[in-house]
Amino acid sequence: MGLKENIEGIKARIEKSAALSERKAADIMLLAVSKTVDTDIIRQAYDLGLRHFGENRVQELQRKIASLPEAHWHMIGRLQTNKVKDIVGRVQLIHSLDRWNLAEEMDKRGQQAGLEVPALMEVNISGEKQKAGFAVNEVEAFLEQAAQFKSLRIYGFMTMAPLSDDAELSRPIFAELADMKKRLGKNSYANVELKYLSMGMSDDFEVAIEEGANIVRIGTALFKK
Ligand SMILES: *Cc1c(COP(=O)(O)O)cnc(C)c1O
């Protein structure tokens, strides 16, 4: 299978899952995770209609932005505080805001650049120790503190389900994050607009969409040969 067939196949599956959850496929962002992929393939994917690309390393992200500046780039990987300055103003959305001091740095660098810094809070729903993200019981307090930010804006949540062969095991994780968005979305917090749920990857994006994801981050299934 080629890239074109992969893209068509994924889009058809997104369509189907969206219909199951009574939503439109157009409301679900397909974020192509291009971290293992060369720039010529990314260019082909762009020419085939993909617009959003995600990377998990700052250096590679910078290199790829330079090669395809017309695409929308997303940072989805662990972010060191000293690298924040390298991506502020260059990415559409940072999905991996996972700790308070990173938020402070993002806010500071945004102010210095005179730019808004859009981000999602990464939430460690599964509670695995090695996993990044805010604990479930830290999220509400963080949103209350968001009032003090000048540049950082919180647009929703991101999570990763535990690795597994069975997508159904991801369902309760996704459902819990969707529930959190619904519950906290009833409150109003300054500098917060809970509109995105970034969840679901190659092996579980359909379940994620059924549970309410509106950004799916797909690498392997798109770019496999
Ligand atoms: C690599 C990666 C993905 C994509 O994973 P696939 O299984 O290849 O679709 C999604 N999200 C994050 C944070 C990743 O690092």
Side-chain angles (χ1 to χ4, degrees):
M1 289 239 287
L3 184 56
K4 185 164 186 283
E5 289 73 23
N6 290 352
I7 294 172
E8 283 168 1
I10 298 285
K11 283 189 168 170
R13 289 164 66 189
I14 289 175
E15 194 102 25
K16 213 165 161 185
S17 306
L20 275 176
S21 63
E22 296 177 349
R23 290 184 299 152
K24 291 188 293 244
D27 297 332
I28 295 162
M29 181 193 296
L30 170 53
L31 173 56
V33 177
S34 51
K35 67 193 180 198
T36 60
V37 180
D38 290 337
T39 50
D40 56 328
I41 305 287
I42 299 176
R43 160 67 65 183
Q44 284 177 33
Y46 184 88
D47 290 340
L48 288 165
L50 297 189
R51 287 296 174 266
H52 294 271
F53 295 89
E55 290 285 331
N56 65 347
R57 290 165 191 271
V58 167
Q59 218 180 348
E60 197 173 339
L61 178 61
Q62 288 177 296
R63 186 170 66 78
K64 288 175 172 173
I65 292 174
S67 80
L68 194 64
E70 57 271 57
H72 301 301
W73 290 94
H74 296 241
M75 176 61 185
I76 62 172
R78 195 114 193 210
L79 184 53
Q80 289 175 271
T81 35
N82 64 0
K83 299 274 172 65
V84 169
K85 62 181 184 314
D86 299 330
I87 63 168
V88 160
R90 306 216 162 90
V91 292
Q92 177 101 1
L93 191 59
I94 297 171
H95 294 231
S96 42
L97 168 54
D98 61 357
R99 57 196 192 276
W100 179 257
N101 73 332
L102 182 61
E104 288 181 322
E105 178 68 11
M106 287 160 74
D107 192 56
K108 179 178 127 191
R109 294 294 177 177
Q111 275 184 73
Q112 285 172 355
L115 295 168
E116 270 197 9
V117 182
L120 306 180
M121 284 180 80
E122 181 172 355
V123 186
N124 183 0
I125 298 279
S126 62
E128 293 163 280
K129 280 214 172 61
Q130 74 282 11
K131 193 161 258 173
F134 290 91
V136 168
N137 65 8
E138 295 172 332
V139 173
E140 196 164 351
F142 180 95
L143 295 176
E144 281 162 8
Q145 298 292 317
Q148 65 191 262
F149 296 132
K150 305 220 161 47
S151 290
L152 181 61
R153 299 289 178 269
I154 305 299
Y155 285 113
F157 301 129
M158 179 272 234
T159 199
M160 303 226 278
L163 286 179
S164 131
D165 295 335
D166 182 359
E168 282 304 323
L169 294 178
S170 304
R171 191 182 294 279
I173 305 282
F174 297 151
E176 186 172 340
L177 192 66
D179 200 61
M180 180 181 285
K181 171 174 172 283
K182 199 177 281 173
R183 185 168 54 82
L184 296 174
K186 291 186 182 135
N187 305 340
S188 98
Y189 302 101
N191 302 321
V192 175
E193 186 190 342
L194 298 179
K195 59 177 178 177
Y196 291 121
L197 267 183
S198 168
M199 55 189 199
M201 322 201 310
S202 289
D203 292 331
D204 57 14
F205 71 89
E206 289 153 303
V207 168
I209 292 171
E210 286 167 32
E211 296 301 329
N214 54 9
I215 304 179
V216 288
R217 309 180 309 270
I218 303 182
T220 318
L222 271 175
F223 292 109
K224 69 182 178 200
K225 295 268 156 53

